[in-house]
């Protein structure tokens, strides 16, 4: 199964200290993605160099200034050993105070850009690493200082070196959240440049991961929905992003994770997703979820898998809610999709309740489409998903999850209500699976939403069959409704009263 492997193309050194750095970086990147998932936080990415270990960064402002000033003076007065001096500058620029000292030196950025665009390939590589260190700065005035380099960073995206292209992409991704830099990059054509890079490097997963990171940074900036999303949708980028949603078993999940987040930001930024649907977004995302759900059901929860599952669920859930019902039959064809959703829900309910809730939300959006269906063929298509939940014995598992809180039980009960709404036969089957007993418990909950939803489902169940109604009475359902009638007000009281008057006491 796919794994979020160590990023082999970014480092090739040996030794325990390097492996520790890799592990730290992977944990840091995982934390950044987690933050992005929870708060859509713009993050920065720092790549390791191939030929040196990353030292601890000092925050002492006095420590970096002499080195940076001395190195800059050496650049100005000496034409030899530029590569060695640049390597020393890279180390010095890891100190945030040194970054400020460097940009304060007159003509420092112009000299660095001159080396970045010069004829010496090794100096170009070391110069872009200096720019990359500057792009990772926590100081807000450093990113605008890097503006002289942005046209060349975009130009070099069409180069042949994977390592060099990656550095340019991650540097751009770190710089673009700054509003001044973002506007300049948009004017300089960053979207066409990213599209061209993705087209030329579509088989290079390392570069595609970097393209995904840079694009996701842009899509999270202010006014992205108005300024950036239309440009992205009119380019080839959506198709390129979708093409990456087939993870390579040897490379890992990272490229698919980055590209799925980009798709999530695109889909959630617009109301009309017909263009993305036409490119097969729902089909591709749901198919990958089926594969991941199957792996999870077999007990294969690899590290980082949830970071891919989460944005995919968001993509599918939003596409389902916005897609015209008549178009969905061509987009969503595999009934095993509900198996995957239930598997993800049960697998992550204890360890990742937010992800479990997202799975239940997508299941609700899917089964809820039945309520707006018109036409025999369309109804039959979506009825197949509800029927699969019963025939594949998935409803029993859902019923067992009703005691859970954090909004999960509310969403699951909505799913069961959607199924019950479609056919009386489904109501009878769910009653036989123990839903009545579970509802007798949910009717006692303090959560008013759960009680109201439970009353709705009870209404559909007792109205489906005399036998179901009799069973509800046997389970002391009448006294439960009477308690709700006398102890509550508003909608719950009205529904309980209606049930008692028209379906239970009169019979």
């Amino acid at each position: 199964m796919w794994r979020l492997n160590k990023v082999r193309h970014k480092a090739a050194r040996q030794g325990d200290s390097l492996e520790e750095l890799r592990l730290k970086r992977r944990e840091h990147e995982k934390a950044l993605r987690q933050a992005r998932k929870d708060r859509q936080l713009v993050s920065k990415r720092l790549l390791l160099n191939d030929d040196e270990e990353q030292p601890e960064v000092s925050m002492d402002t006095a420590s970096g200034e002499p080195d940076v000033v001395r190195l800059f003076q050496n650049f100005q007065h000496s034409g030899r050993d530029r590569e060695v001096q640049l390597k020393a500058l890279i180390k010095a620029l890891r100190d945030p105070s040194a970054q400020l000292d460097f940009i304060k030196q007159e003509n420092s950025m112009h000299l660095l850009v001159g080396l970045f665009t010069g004829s010496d390939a090794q100096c170009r590589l070391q110069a872009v690493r200096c720019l990359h260190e500057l792009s990772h700065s926590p100081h807000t005035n450093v990113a605008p200082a890097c503006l002289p380099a942005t046209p060349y960073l975009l130009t070099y995206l069409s180069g042949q070196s994977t390592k060099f292209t990656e550095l340019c992409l991650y540097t751009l991704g770190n710089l673009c959240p700054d509003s001044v830099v973002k506007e300049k990059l948009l004017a300089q054509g960053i979207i066409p440049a990213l599209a061209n890079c993705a087209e030329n490097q579509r088989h290079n997963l390392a570069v595609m991961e970097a393209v995904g990171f840079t694009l996701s940074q842009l899509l999270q900036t202010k006014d992205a929905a108005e300024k950036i999303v239309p440009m992205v949708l009119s380019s080839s980028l959506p198709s390129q992003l979708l093409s990456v949603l087939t993870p390579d078993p040897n490379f890992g999940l990272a490229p698919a994770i980055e590209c799925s987040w980009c798709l999530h930001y695109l889909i959630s930024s617009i109301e009309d997703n017909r263009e993305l649907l036409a490119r097969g977004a729902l089909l591709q995302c749901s198919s990958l979820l089926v594969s991941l759900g199957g792996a999870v059901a077999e007990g294969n929860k690899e590290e980082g898998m949830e970071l891919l599952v989460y944005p995919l669920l968001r993509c599918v859930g939003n596409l389902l809610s916005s897609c015209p019902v008549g178009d969905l039959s061509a987009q969503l064809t595999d009934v095993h999709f509900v198996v995957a959703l239930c598997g993800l829900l049960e697998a992550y309910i204890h360890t990742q309740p937010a992800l479990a809730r997202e799975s239940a939300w997508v299941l609700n959006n899917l089964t809820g489409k039945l309520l707006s269906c018109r036409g025999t063929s369309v109804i039959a298509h979506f009825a197949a998903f509800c029927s699969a939940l019963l025939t594949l014995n998935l409803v029993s598992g859902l019923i067992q999850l009703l005691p859970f809180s954090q909004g999960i039980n509310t969403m699951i009960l909505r799913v069961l209500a959607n199924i019950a709404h479609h056919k009386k036969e489904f109501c009878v089957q769910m009653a036989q699976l123990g839903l009545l007993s579970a509802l007798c418990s949910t009717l006692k909950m303090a959560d008013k939403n759960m009680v109201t939803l439970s009353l709705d489902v009870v209404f559909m169940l007792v109205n489906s069959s005399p036998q179901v109604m009799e069973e509800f009475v046997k389970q002391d359902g009448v006294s439960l409704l009477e308690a709700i009638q006398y102890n509550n007000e508003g909608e719950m009281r009205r529904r309980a009263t209606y049930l008692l008057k028209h379906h239970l006491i009169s019979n």
Side-chain angles (χ1 to χ4, degrees):
M1 187 52 200
W2 311 304
R3 297 183 298 277
L4 189 63
N5 294 334
K6 60 186 179 184
V7 188
R8 295 171 287 104
H9 59 279
K10 292 179 183 174
R13 294 165 291 173
Q14 303 295 322
D16 294 338
S17 57
L18 177 58
E19 188 60 27
E20 290 175 4
L21 287 170
R22 285 173 172 169
L23 291 172
K24 287 180 181 178
R25 185 194 59 184
R26 288 171 61 194
E27 289 300 317
H28 179 58
E29 291 184 2
K30 184 175 180 180
L32 289 176
R33 290 195 184 99
Q34 189 73 21
R36 186 193 306 168
K37 181 192 78 173
D38 294 336
R39 299 183 295 275
Q40 292 197 349
L41 185 70
V42 175
S43 58
K44 291 189 176 184
R45 193 72 54 82
L46 181 65
L47 299 187
L48 291 174
N49 293 350
D50 286 353
D51 53 357
E52 61 183 344
E53 296 178 5
Q54 183 171 342
E56 293 296 323
V57 175
S58 170
M59 297 299 290
D60 181 7
T61 56
S63 63
E65 182 176 358
D67 286 340
V68 167
V69 173
R70 176 177 52 80
L71 288 168
F72 179 67
Q73 291 172 346
N74 289 342
F75 281 136
Q76 287 182 307
H77 300 102
S78 174
R80 293 182 295 178
D81 299 324
R82 284 284 175 84
E83 184 182 348
V84 175
Q85 295 170 359
L86 282 168
K87 289 181 178 180
L89 181 60
I90 292 169
K91 292 181 179 180
L93 288 176
R94 287 174 183 150
D95 184 339
S97 63
Q99 296 162 357
L100 291 176
D101 294 327
F102 180 77
I103 65 171
K104 289 176 183 176
Q105 302 300 311
E106 187 177 359
N107 294 323
S108 58
M109 288 303 303
H110 291 288
L111 178 60
L112 187 58
V113 170
L115 294 169
F116 177 46
T117 58
S119 58
D120 189 318
Q122 284 303 313
C123 282
R124 285 201 305 269
L125 181 60
Q126 302 307 325
V128 75
R129 283 175 172 161
C130 290
L131 290 168
H132 184 61
E133 294 291 341
L134 289 169
S135 75
H136 198 258
S137 175
H139 301 295
T140 56
N141 55 340
V142 174
C146 296
L147 277 172
T150 56
Y152 305 103
L153 288 167
L154 293 174
T155 299
Y156 285 136
L157 295 186
S158 59
Q160 299 299 314
S161 168
T162 295
K163 183 190 305 180
F164 196 74
T165 303
E166 274 190 278
L167 280 164
C168 290
L169 283 166
Y170 283 113
T171 302
L172 288 166
N174 289 341
L175 293 173
C176 66
D178 180 90
S179 58
V180 175
V181 177
K182 179 193 71 174
E183 294 300 326
K184 195 72 173 178
L185 285 171
L186 290 174
Q188 291 170 346
I190 188 172
I191 300 301
L194 289 175
N196 184 61
C197 180
E199 178 68 27
N200 294 334
Q201 302 276 359
R202 59 186 179 275
H203 301 302
N204 189 327
L205 291 177
V207 173
M208 289 304 298
E209 179 186 353
V211 169
F213 169 75
T214 304
L215 182 59
S216 70
Q217 294 287 82
L218 282 169
L219 291 172
Q220 292 175 87
T221 57
K222 186 178 179 181
D223 301 326
E226 295 79 18
K227 293 184 178 180
I228 299 174
V229 170
M231 297 171 66
V232 174
L233 291 175
S234 64
S235 72
S236 62
L237 279 169
S239 297
Q240 298 299 335
L241 294 173
L242 288 168
S243 71
V244 181
L245 298 188
T246 308
D248 187 308
N250 297 316
F251 192 92
L253 296 176
I257 290 171
E258 295 292 354
C259 292
S260 62
W261 280 109
C262 289
L263 289 167
H264 163 55
Y265 298 138
L266 285 172
I267 292 167
S268 61
S269 297
I270 53 178
E271 294 184 5
D272 187 354
N273 286 300
R274 282 179 294 182
E275 188 169 345
L276 287 170
L277 287 164
R279 299 195 195 202
L282 181 55
L283 178 62
Q284 191 74 13
C285 291
S286 60
S287 297
L288 181 50
L289 278 173
V290 170
S291 298
L292 295 172
V296 169
E298 295 174 359
N300 191 350
K301 289 197 292 184
E302 296 289 351
E303 178 191 359
M305 187 182 290
E306 73 278 3
L307 299 175
L308 176 57
V309 171
Y310 193 99
L312 288 173
L313 287 170
R314 278 297 177 98
C315 289
V316 172
N318 285 323
L319 288 172
L320 280 171
S321 62
S322 63
C323 182
V325 173
D327 297 339
L328 279 171
S329 56
Q331 291 276 341
L332 206 57
T333 58
D334 192 350
V335 294
H336 288 92
F337 181 53
V338 295
V339 180
L341 292 176
C342 291
L344 292 169
L345 202 167
E346 294 182 16
Y348 288 106
I349 195 165
H350 295 290
T351 58
Q352 300 274 348
L355 192 149
R357 186 168 58 250
E358 294 295 322
S359 301
W361 170 68
V362 175
L363 196 56
N364 172 62
N365 284 2
L366 175 60
T367 56
K369 275 294 179 179
L370 280 166
L371 307 182
S372 57
C373 283
R374 298 292 184 273
T376 305
S377 61
V378 177
I379 292 175
H381 177 76
F382 282 96
F385 289 102
C386 289
S387 180
L389 287 166
L390 287 161
T391 56
L392 298 175
N393 198 29
L394 299 172
V395 168
S396 297
L398 295 176
I399 292 173
Q400 293 173 13
L401 298 179
L402 286 175
F404 282 86
S405 58
Q406 302 188 53
I408 296 172
N409 51 6
T410 305
M411 203 61 67
I412 290 174
L413 196 51
R414 290 184 183 278
V415 172
L416 297 174
N418 293 337
I419 298 171
H421 186 274
H422 185 61
K423 278 185 180 181
K424 290 185 176 181
E425 296 172 19
F426 291 168
C427 293
V428 174
Q429 291 180 56
M430 287 195 292
Q432 293 171 347
L433 291 170
L435 181 55
L436 280 176
S437 176
L439 289 171
C440 288
S441 297
T442 58
L443 285 170
K444 301 174 186 176
M445 288 184 174
D447 187 336
K448 292 183 178 181
N449 287 331
M450 279 297 291
V451 175
T452 303
L453 277 171
S454 299
L455 288 169
D456 288 342
V457 180
V458 166
F459 171 78
M460 288 185 279
L461 292 184
V462 301
N463 198 39
S464 67
S465 160
Q467 291 78 19
V468 174
M469 182 192 66
E470 291 174 5
E471 182 61 29
F472 182 67
V473 173
K474 287 180 182 179
Q475 296 193 24
D476 207 21
V478 172
S479 62
L480 285 171
L481 294 178
E482 288 175 341
I484 294 171
Q485 184 183 28
Y486 292 118
N487 296 325
N488 292 278
E489 297 179 355
E491 194 63 30
M492 286 190 292
R493 182 174 184 175
R494 285 192 293 272
R495 295 185 188 202
T497 300
Y498 184 87
L499 273 168
L500 287 168
K501 182 177 179 181
H502 295 280
H503 293 279
L504 296 171
I505 294 178
S506 61
N507 289 285

